[in-house]
Amino acid sequence: MAHQTVGYASAELLGSCRRPDPAPGPDCPVELTLAVLRGRWTPLIVGELAHGSRGFSDLARALPSLSDKVLSDRLTQLTGAGVIERRRTPGWPARVCYTLTEHGHALVPVLQALWDWGSRPR
């Protein structure tokens, strides 16, 4: 199945990003998406959470080369962007669980499209 943007002219696809100056504005949907996905490891964290809720330790085990500080920073960034939700469970010890929001689930096909494009022979 072709992606929904196949067949669109690039001017039509990026029309809302055009401004009098050559730099895209902060209201450009492409720039907004790239800002959410900024930083190394961010797409992989979203990909892990696409399989279901995970705790910090679960994510750290799934991505062993990722430092705890970077993981913490990316989780804070994604929470602030509304991509993931942080839930704290009551009890001792308290547990924190991260889950993709509806907004976050909408990023999964975007990441798949990026993967597909990057995997194409050059």
Side-chain angles (χ1 to χ4, degrees):
M1 180 172 115
H3 188 270
Q4 64 186 6
T5 58
V6 172
Y8 284 75
S10 62
E12 189 177 336
L13 180 64
L14 300 175
S16 63
C17 296
R18 297 192 185 269
R19 296 170 16 150
D21 60 31
D27 57 339
C28 172
V30 174
E31 289 297 320
L32 290 171
T33 305
L34 292 174
V36 167
L37 294 173
R38 80 181 184 277
R40 193 170 180 198
W41 299 101
T42 305
L44 294 177
I45 293 168
V46 173
E48 282 298 317
L49 292 173
H51 299 292
S53 297
R54 303 276 194 273
F56 187 93
S57 303
D58 301 323
L59 290 167
R61 272 191 302 279
L63 303 166
S65 298
L66 176 58
S67 74
D68 286 352
K69 180 185 180 341
V70 172
L71 176 56
S72 180
D73 289 348
R74 296 303 181 268
L75 291 171
T76 300
Q77 167 193 331
L78 290 167
T79 301
V83 173
I84 63 174
E85 181 176 66
R86 181 184 190 271
R87 291 187 184 143
R88 186 174 180 197
T89 59
W92 182 257
R95 293 209 15 103
V96 173
C97 204
Y98 297 92
T99 307
L100 284 180
T101 62
E102 185 178 327
H103 196 59
H105 279 287
L107 269 177
V108 174
V110 173
L111 292 174
Q112 184 63 55
L114 289 171
W115 176 274
D116 293 346
W117 187 88
S119 298
R120 290 176 30 194
R122 291 173 224 344

